């Protein structure tokens, strides 16, 4: 069966269209998705998203809230915007109060630290007022993904790459079991290292506090000693002056 | 002579003890003194001065006093401490204060521009609270009560300077700038009290709460009507502070702390012994003559 030229051109057109569609989709996919959601209430606009994107489980992140008035192209940051606002983080049926603190880099931006522990949708519930404007809304943060997409080597694989024929003389089953054990041990070591780092940090902080206290005590001691010196010198001078006066009186 | 030496040594020991005790108090104060309360007070003090500047545009004498006072309220150490928590606020707060001073100091200062800057600083100061004061301390009643006491300390200082500690009633205001300061801070203290009262547990005696309500109101009225300095001090120091010690367990500050008392006793001892010795010396020739 031979295709007619008309059919050929239709097929070619379809293929071209599909290629264009695929190319468009690919381009769209690689563009960073703007996961920050904006909502406007009167003259106030609130914008919410993750501070670091994409948000992954087990990775420290923060909800980033930006509040401004005016247009998005020429925004005026709202200072102290969260003072009259109650913010709650919700995951499923579990909720937690969020504490937004001013960003150390951008006016009118506030960060609430979150360590997402599970994949899925996290919602922030806003209730209160900003610049006398009532705010009562919920905004979903971009879905949290599993950190497995960036983990390497994968923690859940339970095997160690052994190469072809593995060259160890071990059966694949034994190698697999050993791999699992090694992975477990690696995890334990990482965990222990983190604990040790935290302990070291605590120790350093405690040491700093002790040093500060010592420095303060030393300063106080110096002041006390100076005081003693001045007091003693004053009394010694007074005694000498009295003695001289007495001897002069006797001489007379 | 030996008695005198022994007495001198005794006094040296007493003075030394006093000084050392004094130094220990300073050491304890460094760690026990509530920096959070001091910061909460600062958050009220700075805006009172900037708003006074806005009101005093065109009056260089009053502005000059406010410039000095605001530099006392927000100094390099405050910037340094803020920088440990938030670099942006550590830059924005002193920069905005400086901009207010520069703008207000111009011969053709624009009240609108100054107001914009003052409003901006109000925002920075307000949002700095959650950065600088940890949440548990922010909710702590003692810390909040201590902050009010700190503000009242400034009220008393300002009003004393404004009236030259006059005992007349009404007192003559001899310095307008500290009067504005005292008036603004008394009002701020009342607002702080309203917030503290809302957090106060219901088991606190309603009589005490009413007494404090009346005291804050009386304080503002006394200042507005130029009451004597002692009236203002009495309300702030006795009625409010003493009730705060009972209800919120704020630190009672003795008028004469122990080290100072010891040092004064030592000096008095030196004077008394010197006088006695002098008297003895004057009697010696008389006895010899006999």
């Amino acid at each position: 069966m031979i295709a007619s030229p008309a059919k050929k051109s239709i097929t070619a057109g379809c293929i071209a269209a599909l290629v264009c569609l695929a190319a468009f989709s690919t381009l769209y996919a690689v563009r960073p998705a703007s996961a920050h959601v904006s909502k406007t209430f009167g003259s106030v606009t609130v914008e919410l998203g993750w501070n670091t994107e994409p948000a992954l489980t087990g990775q420290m992140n923060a909800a980033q809230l930006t509040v401004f008035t005016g247009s998005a192209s020429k925004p005026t940051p709202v200072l102290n915007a969260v003072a009259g606002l109650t913010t709650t983080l919700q995951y499923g049926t579990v909720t937690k109060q969020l504490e937004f603190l001013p960003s150390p880099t951008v006016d009118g931006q506030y960060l609430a630290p979150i360590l997402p522990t599970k994949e899925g949708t996290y919602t922030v519930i806003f209730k209160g007022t900003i610049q006398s404007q009532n705010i009562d809304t919920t905004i979903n943060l971009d879905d949290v993904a599993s950190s497995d997409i960036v983990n390497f080597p994968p923690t859940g694989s339970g095997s160690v790459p052994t190469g072809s024929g593995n060259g160890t003389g071990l059966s694949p089953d034994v190698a697999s079991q050993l791999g699992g054990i090694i992975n477990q041990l690696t995890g334990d070591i990482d965990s222990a290292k983190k604990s040790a780092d935290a302990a070291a940090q605590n120790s350093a902080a405690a040491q700093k506090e002790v040093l500060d206290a010592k420095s303060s005590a030393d300063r106080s001691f110096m002041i006390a000693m100076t005081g003693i010196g001045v007091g003693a010198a004053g009394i010694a001078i007074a005694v000498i002056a009295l003695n001289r006066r007495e001897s002069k009186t006797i001489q007379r | 002579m030996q008695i005198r030496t022994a007495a001198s040594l005794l006094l040296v020991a007493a003075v030394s003890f006093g000084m050392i005790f004094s130094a220990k108090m300073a050491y304890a104060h460094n760690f026990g003194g509530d920096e959070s309360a001091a910061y909460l007070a600062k958050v009220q003090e700075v805006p009172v001065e900037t708003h006074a500047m806005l009101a005093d545009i065109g009056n260089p004498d009053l502005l000059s006093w406010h410039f000095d006072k605001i530099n006392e309220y927000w100094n390099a150490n405050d910037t340094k401490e803020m920088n440990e928590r938030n670099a942006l606020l550590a830059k924005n707060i002193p920069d905005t204060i400086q901009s207010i001073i520069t703008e207000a100091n111009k011969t053709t200062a624009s009240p609108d521009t100054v107001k914009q800057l003052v409003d901006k600083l109000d925002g920075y100061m307000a949002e700095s609270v959650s950065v600088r004061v940890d949440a548990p301390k922010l909710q702590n009643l003692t810390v909040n009560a201590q902050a009010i006491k700190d503000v009242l300390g400034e009220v008393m200082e300002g009003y004393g300077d404004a009236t030259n500690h006059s005992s007349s009633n009404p007192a003559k205001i001899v310095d307008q700038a500290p009067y504005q300061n005292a008036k603004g801070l008394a009002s701020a203290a009342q607002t702080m009290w309203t917030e503290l009262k809302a957090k106060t547990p219901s088991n606190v005696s309603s009589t005490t709460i009413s007494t404090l309500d009346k005291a804050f109101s009386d304080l503002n009225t006394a200042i507005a009507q130029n009451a004597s300095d002692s009236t203002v001090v009495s309300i702030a120091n006795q009625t409010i502070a003493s009730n705060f010690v009972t209800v919120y367990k704020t630190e009672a500050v003795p008028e004469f702390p122990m080290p100072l008392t010891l040092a004064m006793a030592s000096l008095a001892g030196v004077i008394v012994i010197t006088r006695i010795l002098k008297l003895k010396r004057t009697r010696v020739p008389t006895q010899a003559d006999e």
Side-chain angles (χ1 to χ4, degrees):
Chain A
M1 193 172 155
I2 298 163
S4 68
K7 273 189 177 175
K8 270 186 181 173
S9 68
I10 289 167
T11 310
C14 285
I15 291 168
L18 281 170
V19 168
C20 285
L21 190 65
F24 178 75
S25 305
T26 312
L27 283 172
Y28 188 72
V30 295
R31 267 192 204 159
S34 177
H36 286 213
V37 178
S38 286
K39 285 194 177 183
T40 303
F41 305 86
S43 60
V44 177
T45 301
V46 295
E47 194 177 282
L48 185 78
W50 288 106
N51 193 42
T52 304
E53 289 170 337
L56 301 173
T57 54
Q59 292 193 356
M60 195 61 199
N61 211 321
Q64 185 197 85
L65 172 71
T66 309
V67 186
F68 60 89
T69 55
S71 65
S73 58
K74 204 179 174 186
T76 304
V78 176
L79 300 176
N80 200 28
V82 291
L85 212 55
T86 306
T87 45
T88 311
L89 181 66
Q90 187 176 35
Y91 179 87
T93 55
V94 189
T95 57
K96 181 194 176 199
Q97 288 290 314
L98 272 186
E99 192 193 3
F100 278 98
L101 293 177
S103 151
T105 51
V106 182
D107 265 353
Q109 193 174 85
Y110 305 85
L111 302 171
I114 301 170
L115 178 62
T117 53
K118 291 184 176 175
E119 296 166 55
T121 306
Y122 291 68
T123 305
V124 180
I125 305 163
F126 295 92
K127 277 186 194 299
T129 56
I130 300 176
Q131 288 194 338
S132 307
Q133 177 67 53
N134 277 332
I135 309 286
D136 187 351
T137 192
T138 58
I139 299 179
N140 286 347
L141 289 160
D142 197 26
D143 279 3
V144 172
S146 167
S147 55
D148 285 348
I149 61 170
V150 289
N151 279 349
F152 182 82
T155 51
S157 67
S159 64
V160 176
T162 52
S164 57
N166 87 39
T168 60
L170 296 173
S171 74
D173 282 350
V174 172
S176 170
Q177 281 175 11
L178 279 175
I181 292 165
I182 289 167
N183 279 348
Q184 179 67 41
L185 282 173
T186 309
D188 289 348
I189 289 166
D190 281 348
S191 170
K193 190 174 175 297
K194 277 179 191 164
S195 298
D197 286 348
Q201 278 178 0
N202 287 342
S203 166
Q207 201 174 8
K208 187 178 175 297
E209 281 178 13
V210 168
L211 283 173
D212 287 349
K214 188 177 177 300
S215 153
S216 185
D218 288 348
R219 213 167 29 245
S220 301
F221 183 71
M222 284 302 293
I223 294 167
M225 291 310 290
T226 311
I228 291 168
V230 171
I235 288 167
I237 291 165
V239 170
I240 292 164
L242 281 171
N243 282 339
R244 280 189 183 171
R245 200 170 175 184
E246 189 181 23
S247 55
K248 274 183 188 171
T249 314
I250 291 166
Q251 277 173 9
R252 277 179 201 164
Chain B
M1 182 68 189
Q2 278 177 343
I3 293 169
R4 199 159 53 212
T5 311
S8 303
L9 285 171
L10 200 65
L11 285 166
V12 168
V15 170
S16 308
F17 179 74
M19 297 284 191
I20 290 168
F21 190 61
S22 213
K24 268 189 181 167
M25 284 295 279
Y27 169 80
H29 178 259
N30 283 342
F31 291 91
D34 202 326
E35 288 173 325
S36 299
Y39 193 80
L40 289 174
K42 199 179 288 293
V43 169
Q44 302 297 324
E45 291 158 356
V46 170
V48 162
E49 279 309 306
T50 53
H51 284 263
M53 279 184 211
L54 180 61
D56 291 340
I57 285 175
N59 189 328
D61 290 342
L62 294 181
L63 284 175
S64 166
W65 193 94
H66 297 309
F67 297 159
D68 288 345
K69 199 67 182 174
I70 202 164
N71 284 323
E72 182 191 310
Y73 286 150
W74 189 276
N75 57 39
N77 191 49
D78 296 311
T79 303
K80 181 176 150 275
E81 286 180 356
M82 182 55 71
N83 197 41
E84 291 168 14
R85 300 279 180 106
N86 189 305
L88 187 65
L89 286 171
K91 183 181 179 300
N92 285 344
I93 292 174
D95 282 2
T96 313
I97 290 174
Q98 195 50 51
S99 299
I100 293 170
I101 292 174
T102 307
E103 187 59 37
N105 219 10
K106 285 179 183 169
T107 46
T108 54
S110 154
D112 286 345
T113 310
V114 176
K115 187 177 183 314
Q116 276 177 9
L117 291 165
V118 166
D119 289 346
K120 202 172 178 185
L121 186 66
D122 284 354
Y124 287 138
M125 289 306 294
E127 71 178 24
S128 73
V129 172
S130 59
V131 171
R132 179 66 176 71
V133 182
D134 297 329
K137 283 190 177 161
L138 204 52
Q139 295 305 320
N140 184 298
L141 299 184
T142 307
V143 169
N144 282 277
Q146 186 60 47
I148 298 176
K149 273 184 71 178
D150 289 354
V151 172
L152 291 177
E154 284 296 310
V155 170
M156 287 187 282
E157 188 186 320
Y159 197 70
D161 290 346
T163 58
N164 202 15
H165 301 284
S166 168
S167 55
S168 309
N169 201 352
K172 189 184 173 195
I173 303 300
V174 294
D175 199 342
Q176 193 62 31
Y179 179 66
Q180 290 174 328
N181 172 267
K183 209 171 177 179
L185 288 175
S187 171
Q190 191 167 21
T191 308
M192 291 168 86
W193 159 244
T194 307
E195 286 167 10
L196 175 61
K197 189 173 64 171
K199 294 179 193 169
T200 304
S202 55
N203 61 358
V204 172
S205 149
S206 58
T207 314
T208 310
I209 298 293
S210 301
T211 306
L212 283 166
D213 265 338
K214 187 174 179 305
F216 278 99
S217 177
D218 288 351
L219 180 73
N220 279 278
T221 309
I223 293 173
Q225 295 178 350
N226 305 351
S228 67
D229 182 45
S230 57
T231 306
V232 169
V233 170
S234 167
I235 298 169
N237 235 0
Q238 290 172 19
T239 314
I240 298 175
S242 62
N243 277 300
F244 271 16
V245 172
T246 314
V247 180
Y248 301 108
K249 314 291 178 215
T250 53
E251 262 182 58
V253 181
E255 293 212 5
F256 282 95
M258 184 59 84
L260 191 61
T261 313
L262 278 173
M264 286 178 71
S266 306
L267 287 170
V270 171
I271 294 164
V272 169
I273 288 174
T274 313
R275 300 293 293 177
I276 290 169
L277 289 172
K278 192 179 176 187
L279 281 172
K280 269 190 176 178
R281 275 200 305 274
T282 49
R283 278 182 194 162
V284 169
T286 319
Q287 284 170 348
D289 288 345
E290 282 172 1

